[in-house]
Amino acid sequence: MIDILSYDFMRNALMAGLLASVACGIIGTLVVVNRVVFVAGGISHAAYGGVGLAFFLGLPVLPVTVAFSLGVAALMAKVTFGKRERADTVVGVLWAAGMAFGIILMDLTHGYNVDLMSFLFGSILSVPQSDLWLMAGLDTLLVAVVAFAYRGFLAMSFDPEFAGLRGVPVKLLHLAMLCMIAVSIVMIIRVVGLILVIALLTIPPYLAERGGRSLGGMMTASALYSVLFCLSGLALSYAFDLTSGASIIAVATVWFFASQGLKGRRA
């Protein structure tokens, strides 16, 4: 299997998996702990609007999709903060609107681009070198923001109301969290696609949560789980000629249900 590293596209794929795992570990943990999985799902599907916009304008997909997703995240943050009862409705509307916007723009784009499918179901084997540099920069930004505001995120994650009373800028942190979720989702879309992105954002943090003693420890363990799933999925797809994104999620899903079975036996 070591011969696969002789291919440039496979080395790029491994690096993309590692970079995406950093985002999964850090931001996926915040998604799970703050119980905003549905919001993350809304952002991921709305991001398709950014993909369609990039194709329509003939611009680089990743930067345009990041910018579009940040706009969606900011809108969700503004409407849903402190109004949990309205969150599901707003997320559902933006979810559908983003997808519809992207589809319409693709219809208006002359010609059909085969790369479009890679954003739906992932194409880690086709990640270019330029995207790796952008992913590395985004990872650095995510790590810096979380490290700088770690105590605030910790307080907000476990008791936002009390944190607000103690002077923690909960509203700003909520906005920052959704924006970081948007950035992470766009990165992971290149790995497993927007259809499967939520699984990679939630399964590793869930597994890490059981043995985690701190938020930082949970982030680290989650990132390691993500690395394991990405590498195992890539090896599986190479060995059996399977779709890489689906293979990664299949490995994560099997691990998830296996851990649930072991947990049930011990209980």
Side-chain angles (χ1 to χ4, degrees):
M1 295 291 289
I2 195 66
D3 62 316
I4 65 176
L5 294 179
S6 62
Y7 301 107
D8 287 339
F9 71 88
M10 186 56 73
R11 290 196 295 270
N12 286 351
L14 290 173
M15 185 58 66
L18 293 175
L19 292 172
S21 294
V22 174
C24 284
I26 296 174
I27 306 306
T29 296
L30 292 177
V31 169
V32 170
V33 172
N34 286 275
R35 297 178 177 85
V36 290
V37 175
F38 188 62
V39 175
I43 295 174
S44 69
H45 285 74
Y48 189 74
V51 175
L53 183 62
F55 277 107
F56 181 74
L57 297 177
L59 297 175
V61 175
L62 199 56
V64 174
T65 308
V66 167
F68 186 88
S69 300
L70 285 173
V72 172
L75 183 58
M76 284 190 181
K78 178 178 178 59
V79 178
T80 63
F81 180 76
K83 302 171 185 176
R84 297 285 182 178
E85 69 280 359
R86 294 179 55 193
D88 288 352
T89 301
V90 174
V91 170
V93 171
L94 292 176
W95 179 321
M99 289 288 291
F101 182 65
I103 292 171
I104 291 173
L105 287 178
M106 288 306 304
D107 288 340
L108 296 175
T109 301
H110 295 293
Y112 176 77
N113 195 312
V114 70
D115 287 341
L116 178 64
M117 299 304 293
S118 70
F119 293 95
L120 286 174
F121 302 104
S123 184
I124 191 173
L125 298 178
S126 65
V127 176
Q129 188 77 30
S130 57
D131 279 6
L132 292 179
W133 285 109
L134 183 55
M135 291 172 72
L138 293 175
D139 267 345
T140 302
L141 178 62
L142 293 176
V143 171
V145 171
V146 172
F148 177 77
Y150 178 78
R151 291 183 180 275
F153 282 119
L154 180 64
M156 180 189 74
S157 296
F158 293 101
D159 196 338
E161 294 183 3
F162 180 72
L165 293 175
R166 293 297 301 269
V168 176
V170 178
K171 188 173 183 179
L172 179 61
L173 290 175
H174 179 73
L175 171 61
M177 180 181 68
L178 292 191
C179 288
M180 289 191 296
I181 290 172
V183 170
S184 302
I185 283 172
V186 175
M187 290 174 57
I188 303 168
I189 281 175
R190 294 293 284 163
V191 178
V192 297
L194 64 86
I195 303 296
L196 304 175
V197 66
I198 292 303
L200 199 58
L201 263 181
T202 55
I203 292 177
Y206 175 84
L207 295 172
E209 187 177 27
R210 294 187 302 167
R213 297 184 178 181
S214 66
L215 188 65
M218 184 177 168
M219 289 178 176
T220 302
S222 176
L224 293 176
Y225 272 118
S226 297
V227 170
L228 173 63
F229 298 151
C230 287
L231 296 183
S232 300
L234 275 174
L236 185 66
S237 67
Y238 179 81
F240 297 99
D241 193 23
L242 302 173
T243 303
S244 55
S247 299
I248 291 170
I249 299 304
V251 171
T253 303
V254 169
W255 193 293
F256 171 81
F257 283 112
S259 67
Q260 291 295 98
L262 291 175
K263 182 180 177 182
R265 278 191 167 188
R266 291 174 182 173

